[in-house]
Amino acid sequence: MALYMTQAAYTADAWAAMVKNPADRPAAVRAMAGRFGCKLIDFYYCFGDYDAILIIEGPDETSVASAILAAAAGGHLRALKTTQLLTNEQGMDAMRKAGTATLQLPGR
């Protein structure tokens, strides 16, 4: 299964609601992600352009996209960004494979 990092930014209204009534968001996301065959590996709150980072494992892009869209459907996010991740071993394997090819530019 592949790993994905999702960065999410909450709306001001979402922050107001969460401050008024804190809830275990990772538990809710974990349960919802499981409906799509995905697993929430970790959840972090953070500072900067995004307010939360989720690491999700899923069987394929469509399943992960479905889980993320379902989580975002409540309208409490102002921004969302998902990036597929490679483990260190996958990255090294990609480098090994890339080292076996040479780009041949036309006219050179």
Side-chain angles (χ1 to χ4, degrees):
M1 294 222 287
L3 292 171
Y4 299 83
M5 173 184 65
T6 295
Q7 297 168 276
Y10 293 113
T11 64
D13 288 343
W15 274 118
M18 290 188 294
V19 167
K20 186 175 182 177
N21 184 24
D24 187 352
R25 289 207 179 275
V29 172
R30 186 172 285 110
M32 185 276 313
R35 295 182 59 198
F36 298 95
C38 300
K39 179 180 177 184
L40 177 65
I41 302 296
D42 228 329
F43 182 107
Y44 300 94
Y45 287 105
C46 55
F47 300 110
D49 293 335
Y50 294 94
D51 302 313
I53 294 177
L54 297 76
I55 305 298
I56 300 170
E57 185 177 54
D60 56 69
E61 292 85 359
T62 303
S63 298
V64 173
S66 298
I68 292 166
L69 289 171
H76 55 278
L77 299 177
R78 64 175 173 78
L80 190 64
K81 177 180 175 182
T82 300
T83 305
Q84 186 171 357
L85 303 174
L86 299 176
T87 64
N88 180 60
E89 187 56 44
Q90 289 170 321
M92 289 176 23
D93 190 38
M95 289 179 241
R96 283 187 208 92
K97 288 178 182 177
T100 66
T102 305
L103 176 62
Q104 297 295 322
L105 297 175
R108 291 199 173 188

